[in-house]
Amino acid sequence: MRRQLQRRARCLGPASLAGRLYGRGPYPAALPAVEAGERLRGELWQIRDRRLWQRLDRYEGCAADSPRPHPYQRERALVTGPRQLCVMAWVYWYRRPVRGLRRILSGDALAGV
């Protein structure tokens, strides 16, 4: 999926949003923040291709034809992007219980801590 993003979308740079992150193997679980100061870190992408959105939804398990209940749900959230600009962007929030999952306190799935 990363390769498709790199070919068919544009990375605008580092970004963050209010939320918390849990490890669940190769796919992290992002949830909205519960307490002030909780931040997720990642990248902001500009996607204009509707077919790429359909592929992303299928990849995240939340396409219309994906088995229910969906593990993730795509919703708009306020994201702080490059140069501290705030924009509304699509985010895939995890919708299953996180009990037993390890919290990633850094909020950065690639850092893993």
Side-chain angles (χ1 to χ4, degrees):
M1 186 51 65
R2 178 114 179 137
R3 282 189 221 124
Q4 287 188 43
L5 276 170
Q6 290 170 333
R7 282 193 315 262
R8 300 172 61 189
R10 190 176 106 183
C11 183
L12 301 177
S16 69
L17 73 151
R20 50 175 50 194
L21 195 64
Y22 293 85
R24 52 179 299 273
Y27 305 105
L31 284 81
V34 174
E35 299 176 11
E38 295 177 329
R39 303 293 292 174
L40 299 176
R41 299 182 196 323
E43 298 170 332
L44 181 63
W45 288 79
Q46 183 179 47
I47 301 172
R48 295 186 179 175
D49 182 339
R50 184 177 305 215
R51 290 174 302 188
L52 183 54
W53 278 117
Q54 292 169 344
R55 286 184 179 179
L56 280 166
D57 286 348
R58 192 164 291 112
Y59 177 80
E60 297 291 350
C62 63
D65 61 352
S66 295
R68 292 185 185 266
H70 297 159
Y72 293 91
Q73 181 173 332
R74 180 164 50 107
E75 296 179 2
R76 286 198 170 283
L78 187 62
V79 173
T80 304
R83 297 180 303 282
Q84 299 301 306
L85 296 175
C86 292
V87 298
M88 292 300 288
W90 290 109
V91 175
Y92 288 95
W93 295 119
Y94 190 63
R95 293 294 177 205
R96 294 192 175 155
V98 293
R99 177 182 287 157
L101 298 180
R102 181 182 55 84
R103 176 119 180 257
I104 300 173
L105 295 175
S106 69
D108 184 340
L110 295 178
V113 179

